[in-house]
Amino acid sequence: MMSVAAARALRDGQLCFVGIGLPSTAANLARRLHAPRLVLIYESGTLDTKPEQLPLSIGDGILAESALTVVSVPEVFNYWLQPGRIDVGFLSGAQIDRFGNINTTVIGDYDAPDVRLPGSGGAPEIAASCREVIVVMRHRRRAFVERVDFVTSVGHGAGPGDRELLGLRGAGPVRVITDLGVLEPDPQTRELVLTSVHAGITMEQARAETGWDLEIAPELEVTAPPSDDELAVLRGMRTVGEPGS
């Protein structure tokens, strides 16, 4: 459901900065169904790649084999990402707060953390410079917190005007897709609001798994379940090495 909801959020003709996992599944599903001119750019430097199967990593050879061209990683960041040429980028994290700030650095105090996480990678640049950011992560109370322990990637800071104050060119997180539903920032407060729940999920369940007083949209929608076409394409996009691939 997360992959399908993320795929539906992508539009034909966009330039999409793709990560491995759910973002890769979503982007390739969208390209096969409703966005045939979606341009997929992977961090490894493959531009307009069209893999027949889902890659195992950003270094998977099928990305280079099916790409229009391959450039260096510095060129991806310096020419494509940082100048704002990418329409949409995907992010995830260990924590996200009410303003869409993401933590992938530490849980607990920075100098003596309970857990030290992998770090930032290219996430801060994606958060800063993509025209739109879509966050995909599982909705759990320990992950959806009032305030992240460390801001690795800036969402909407502390509220309206923070991104502009910091000189960030992108719009920041426009949608947070979880296994329970979809959250979007309020146009005025920039706080994440529950706008849709997936079939079988209630707003009470979403609130119970959120570490702040989650606002609910006045007209809460129910996400349409995956269609037969979406399921068929997903089954056909197995990663190389998976059973039946």
Side-chain angles (χ1 to χ4, degrees):
M1 190 64 253
M2 294 169 70
S3 296
V4 168
R8 291 170 181 169
L10 297 172
R11 301 184 295 275
D12 197 24
Q14 285 185 314
L15 275 69
C16 182
F17 200 87
V18 187
I20 296 302
L22 289 178
S24 182
T25 303
N28 281 283
L29 175 61
R31 185 176 61 82
R32 284 166 168 79
L33 284 178
H34 65 270
R37 296 183 298 114
L38 184 69
V39 177
L40 307 189
I41 299 176
Y42 284 78
E43 187 175 337
S44 53
T46 55
L47 306 184
D48 197 13
T49 186
K50 299 178 175 67
E52 292 185 4
Q53 295 173 302
L54 294 177
L56 291 168
S57 72
I58 59 171
D60 196 315
I62 64 174
L63 294 176
E65 291 171 3
S66 61
L68 177 66
T69 188
V70 180
V71 301
S72 67
V73 172
E75 182 173 333
V76 169
F77 280 88
N78 294 338
Y79 181 80
W80 290 97
L81 185 58
Q82 290 170 345
R85 291 186 167 95
I86 304 296
D87 293 309
V88 59
F90 282 98
L91 288 177
S92 189
Q95 289 182 328
I96 186 169
D97 65 23
R98 64 196 306 155
F99 292 111
N101 303 300
I102 293 174
N103 174 21
T104 56
T105 302
V106 294
I107 302 297
D109 182 75
Y110 183 83
D111 294 321
D114 299 322
V115 179
R116 189 168 293 281
L117 300 167
S120 64
E125 286 85 359
I126 295 171
S129 301
C130 283
R131 293 171 184 168
E132 296 179 353
V133 172
I134 297 174
V135 181
V136 182
M137 57 189 293
R138 299 192 184 281
H139 205 142
R140 302 293 181 268
R141 194 172 185 87
R142 67 177 183 177
F144 281 68
V145 296
E146 175 82 22
R147 182 177 180 181
V148 292
D149 293 340
F150 186 94
V151 179
T152 309
S153 305
V154 178
H156 296 287
D162 265 22
R163 290 188 64 86
E164 292 79 5
L165 185 65
L166 293 169
L168 306 181
R169 67 173 68 244
V174 299
R175 190 173 284 105
V176 179
I177 296 171
T178 81
D179 53 339
L180 301 183
V182 178
L183 297 86
E184 299 178 57
D186 180 88
Q188 278 74 48
T189 67
R190 312 313 296 167
E191 182 176 322
L192 294 176
V193 175
L194 185 69
T195 58
S196 176
V197 289
H198 301 326
I201 302 297
T202 66
M203 65 179 184
E204 288 78 15
Q205 286 176 282
R207 275 182 163 156
E209 293 293 351
T210 305
W212 69 86
D213 187 12
L214 179 63
E215 293 288 333
I216 309 297
E219 297 182 5
L220 184 65
E221 298 180 355
V222 177
T223 313
S227 67
D228 291 341
D229 287 344
E230 288 167 332
L231 291 174
V233 172
L234 282 172
R235 294 190 192 101
M237 290 197 308
R238 296 178 185 272
T239 303
V240 175
E242 282 189 321
S245 64

CSV table of all heavy atoms in Angstrom, one decimal, residues 207-235:
chain,number,residue,atom,x,y,z
A,207,ARG,N,-3.6,8.2,15.3
A,207,ARG,CA,-3.3,9.1,16.5
A,207,ARG,C,-2.5,8.3,17.6
A,207,ARG,O,-1.6,8.9,18.2
A,207,ARG,CB,-4.6,9.7,17.1
A,207,ARG,CG,-5.0,10.9,16.3
A,207,ARG,CD,-6.3,11.5,17.0
A,207,ARG,NE,-6.5,12.9,16.6
A,207,ARG,CZ,-7.7,13.5,16.6
A,207,ARG,NH1,-8.7,12.8,16.9
A,207,ARG,NH2,-7.8,14.8,16.2
A,208,ALA,N,-2.9,7.1,17.8
A,208,ALA,CA,-2.2,6.3,18.8
A,208,ALA,C,-0.8,6.0,18.5
A,208,ALA,O,0.1,5.8,19.4
A,208,ALA,CB,-3.0,5.0,19.0
A,209,GLU,N,-0.4,6.0,17.2
A,209,GLU,CA,1.0,5.8,16.8
A,209,GLU,C,1.7,7.1,16.5
A,209,GLU,O,2.8,7.0,15.9
A,209,GLU,CB,1.0,4.9,15.6
A,209,GLU,CG,0.5,3.5,15.8
A,209,GLU,CD,1.4,2.6,16.7
A,209,GLU,OE1,2.5,3.1,17.0
A,209,GLU,OE2,1.0,1.5,17.1
A,210,THR,N,1.2,8.2,17.0
A,210,THR,CA,1.9,9.5,16.7
A,210,THR,C,2.2,10.1,18.1
A,210,THR,O,1.4,10.2,19.0
A,210,THR,CB,0.9,10.4,15.9
A,210,THR,OG1,0.5,9.8,14.7
A,210,THR,CG2,1.6,11.7,15.6
A,211,GLY,N,3.4,10.6,18.2
A,211,GLY,CA,3.9,11.2,19.4
A,211,GLY,C,3.5,12.6,19.7
A,211,GLY,O,4.1,13.3,20.6
A,212,TRP,N,2.6,13.2,18.9
A,212,TRP,CA,2.1,14.5,19.1
A,212,TRP,C,0.6,14.5,18.9
A,212,TRP,O,0.1,13.5,18.4
A,212,TRP,CB,2.8,15.6,18.3
A,212,TRP,CG,2.5,15.5,16.8
A,212,TRP,CD1,1.4,16.1,16.2
A,212,TRP,CD2,3.3,14.9,15.8
A,212,TRP,NE1,1.5,15.8,14.8
A,212,TRP,CE2,2.6,15.1,14.6
A,212,TRP,CE3,4.4,14.1,15.8
A,212,TRP,CZ2,3.1,14.6,13.4
A,212,TRP,CZ3,4.9,13.6,14.6
A,212,TRP,CH2,4.2,13.8,13.4
A,213,ASP,N,-0.1,15.6,19.3
A,213,ASP,CA,-1.5,15.6,19.1
A,213,ASP,C,-1.8,15.8,17.6
A,213,ASP,O,-1.9,16.9,17.1
A,213,ASP,CB,-2.1,16.8,19.9
A,213,ASP,CG,-3.6,16.8,19.9
A,213,ASP,OD1,-4.2,15.8,19.4
A,213,ASP,OD2,-4.2,17.8,20.3
A,214,LEU,N,-2.0,14.7,16.9
A,214,LEU,CA,-2.1,14.7,15.4
A,214,LEU,C,-3.5,15.4,15.0
A,214,LEU,O,-4.5,14.9,15.4
A,214,LEU,CB,-2.0,13.3,14.9
A,214,LEU,CG,-2.2,13.1,13.4
A,214,LEU,CD1,-1.0,13.8,12.7
A,214,LEU,CD2,-2.2,11.6,13.0
A,215,GLU,N,-3.3,16.4,14.2
A,215,GLU,CA,-4.5,17.0,13.6
A,215,GLU,C,-5.1,16.2,12.5
A,215,GLU,O,-4.3,15.5,11.7
A,215,GLU,CB,-4.2,18.4,13.1
A,215,GLU,CG,-3.8,19.4,14.1
A,215,GLU,CD,-5.0,19.9,15.0
A,215,GLU,OE1,-6.1,19.8,14.5
A,215,GLU,OE2,-4.8,20.2,16.1
A,216,ILE,N,-6.4,16.2,12.3
A,216,ILE,CA,-7.1,15.4,11.3
A,216,ILE,C,-7.7,16.4,10.3
A,216,ILE,O,-8.4,17.3,10.7
A,216,ILE,CB,-8.2,14.5,11.9
A,216,ILE,CG1,-7.6,13.6,13.0
A,216,ILE,CG2,-8.8,13.6,10.8
A,216,ILE,CD1,-6.5,12.7,12.6
A,217,ALA,N,-7.6,16.1,9.0
A,217,ALA,CA,-8.2,17.0,8.0
A,217,ALA,C,-9.7,16.9,8.1
A,217,ALA,O,-10.3,15.9,8.5
A,217,ALA,CB,-7.8,16.5,6.6
A,218,PRO,N,-10.4,18.1,7.9
A,218,PRO,CA,-11.8,18.1,8.0
A,218,PRO,C,-12.5,17.1,7.1
A,218,PRO,O,-13.5,16.5,7.6
A,218,PRO,CB,-12.2,19.5,7.5
A,218,PRO,CG,-10.9,20.3,7.7
A,218,PRO,CD,-9.8,19.4,7.5
A,219,GLU,N,-12.0,16.8,5.9
A,219,GLU,CA,-12.5,15.8,5.1
A,219,GLU,C,-11.5,14.6,4.9
A,219,GLU,O,-10.8,14.6,3.9
A,219,GLU,CB,-12.9,16.3,3.7
A,219,GLU,CG,-14.0,17.4,3.8
A,219,GLU,CD,-14.5,18.0,2.5
A,219,GLU,OE1,-14.0,17.5,1.5
A,219,GLU,OE2,-15.3,18.9,2.5
A,220,LEU,N,-11.4,13.8,5.9
A,220,LEU,CA,-10.5,12.7,5.9
A,220,LEU,C,-10.8,11.7,4.8
A,220,LEU,O,-12.0,11.2,4.8
A,220,LEU,CB,-10.4,12.0,7.3
A,220,LEU,CG,-9.4,10.9,7.5
A,220,LEU,CD1,-8.0,11.4,7.3
A,220,LEU,CD2,-9.6,10.2,8.8
A,221,GLU,N,-9.9,11.4,3.9
A,221,GLU,CA,-10.2,10.5,2.8
A,221,GLU,C,-9.7,9.1,3.2
A,221,GLU,O,-9.0,8.9,4.2
A,221,GLU,CB,-9.4,10.9,1.6
A,221,GLU,CG,-9.9,12.3,1.1
A,221,GLU,CD,-9.1,12.7,-0.2
A,221,GLU,OE1,-8.2,12.0,-0.6
A,221,GLU,OE2,-9.5,13.8,-0.7
A,222,VAL,N,-10.2,8.1,2.4
A,222,VAL,CA,-9.7,6.7,2.6
A,222,VAL,C,-9.0,6.4,1.3
A,222,VAL,O,-9.5,6.5,0.2
A,222,VAL,CB,-10.9,5.7,2.8
A,222,VAL,CG1,-10.4,4.3,2.8
A,222,VAL,CG2,-11.6,6.1,4.0
A,223,THR,N,-7.7,5.9,1.4
A,223,THR,CA,-6.9,5.6,0.3
A,223,THR,C,-7.5,4.4,-0.5
A,223,THR,O,-7.9,3.4,0.1
A,223,THR,CB,-5.5,5.2,0.7
A,223,THR,OG1,-5.0,6.1,1.6
A,223,THR,CG2,-4.6,5.1,-0.5
A,224,ALA,N,-7.7,4.6,-1.8
A,224,ALA,CA,-8.2,3.5,-2.6
A,224,ALA,C,-7.2,2.3,-2.6
A,224,ALA,O,-6.0,2.5,-2.7
A,224,ALA,CB,-8.4,3.9,-4.1
A,225,PRO,N,-7.7,1.1,-2.4
A,225,PRO,CA,-6.8,-0.1,-2.3
A,225,PRO,C,-6.1,-0.3,-3.7
A,225,PRO,O,-6.6,0.2,-4.7
A,225,PRO,CB,-7.8,-1.2,-2.0
A,225,PRO,CG,-9.1,-0.8,-2.4
A,225,PRO,CD,-9.1,0.7,-2.2
A,226,PRO,N,-5.0,-1.0,-3.7
A,226,PRO,CA,-4.4,-1.3,-5.0
A,226,PRO,C,-5.3,-1.9,-6.0
A,226,PRO,O,-6.1,-2.8,-5.7
A,226,PRO,CB,-3.2,-2.3,-4.6
A,226,PRO,CG,-3.0,-2.0,-3.1
A,226,PRO,CD,-4.4,-1.7,-2.6
A,227,SER,N,-5.2,-1.4,-7.2
A,227,SER,CA,-6.0,-2.0,-8.3
A,227,SER,C,-5.4,-3.3,-8.8
A,227,SER,O,-4.2,-3.6,-8.5
A,227,SER,CB,-6.1,-1.0,-9.5
A,227,SER,OG,-4.8,-0.8,-10.1
A,228,ASP,N,-6.1,-4.0,-9.7
A,228,ASP,CA,-5.6,-5.2,-10.3
A,228,ASP,C,-4.4,-4.9,-11.1
A,228,ASP,O,-3.4,-5.7,-11.1
A,228,ASP,CB,-6.7,-5.9,-11.1
A,228,ASP,CG,-7.8,-6.5,-10.3
A,228,ASP,OD1,-7.6,-6.7,-9.1
A,228,ASP,OD2,-8.9,-6.7,-10.8
A,229,ASP,N,-4.4,-3.8,-11.8
A,229,ASP,CA,-3.2,-3.4,-12.7
A,229,ASP,C,-2.0,-3.2,-11.8
A,229,ASP,O,-0.9,-3.6,-12.2
A,229,ASP,CB,-3.6,-2.2,-13.5
A,229,ASP,CG,-4.5,-2.6,-14.7
A,229,ASP,OD1,-4.7,-3.8,-15.0
A,229,ASP,OD2,-5.1,-1.6,-15.3
A,230,GLU,N,-2.2,-2.4,-10.7
A,230,GLU,CA,-1.1,-2.1,-9.9
A,230,GLU,C,-0.5,-3.3,-9.3
A,230,GLU,O,0.7,-3.5,-9.2
A,230,GLU,CB,-1.5,-1.1,-8.8
A,230,GLU,CG,-1.8,0.3,-9.3
A,230,GLU,CD,-2.5,1.2,-8.3
A,230,GLU,OE1,-3.3,0.6,-7.4
A,230,GLU,OE2,-2.4,2.4,-8.3
A,231,LEU,N,-1.3,-4.3,-8.8
A,231,LEU,CA,-0.8,-5.5,-8.2
A,231,LEU,C,-0.1,-6.4,-9.3
A,231,LEU,O,0.9,-7.0,-9.0
A,231,LEU,CB,-2.0,-6.3,-7.6
A,231,LEU,CG,-2.6,-5.7,-6.3
A,231,LEU,CD1,-3.8,-6.5,-5.9
A,231,LEU,CD2,-1.6,-5.6,-5.2
A,232,ALA,N,-0.6,-6.4,-10.5
A,232,ALA,CA,0.0,-7.2,-11.5
A,232,ALA,C,1.4,-6.7,-11.9
A,232,ALA,O,2.3,-7.4,-12.0
A,232,ALA,CB,-0.9,-7.2,-12.8
A,233,VAL,N,1.5,-5.3,-12.0
A,233,VAL,CA,2.8,-4.7,-12.3
A,233,VAL,C,3.8,-5.0,-11.1
A,233,VAL,O,5.0,-5.3,-11.3
A,233,VAL,CB,2.7,-3.2,-12.6
A,233,VAL,CG1,4.1,-2.6,-12.7
A,233,VAL,CG2,1.9,-3.0,-13.8
A,234,LEU,N,3.3,-4.9,-9.9
A,234,LEU,CA,4.2,-5.1,-8.7
A,234,LEU,C,4.7,-6.5,-8.7
A,234,LEU,O,5.9,-6.8,-8.5
A,234,LEU,CB,3.4,-4.8,-7.4
A,234,LEU,CG,3.2,-3.4,-7.0
A,234,LEU,CD1,2.3,-3.3,-5.8
A,234,LEU,CD2,4.6,-2.7,-6.7
A,235,ARG,N,3.9,-7.5,-9.1
A,235,ARG,CA,4.3,-8.9,-9.1
A,235,ARG,C,5.3,-9.1,-10.2
A,235,ARG,O,6.2,-9.9,-10.1
A,235,ARG,CB,3.1,-9.8,-9.4
A,235,ARG,CG,2.1,-9.8,-8.2
A,235,ARG,CD,1.1,-10.9,-8.4
A,235,ARG,NE,-0.1,-10.8,-7.5
A,235,ARG,CZ,-1.2,-10.3,-7.8
A,235,ARG,NH1,-1.5,-9.9,-9.1
A,235,ARG,NH2,-2.2,-10.2,-6.9
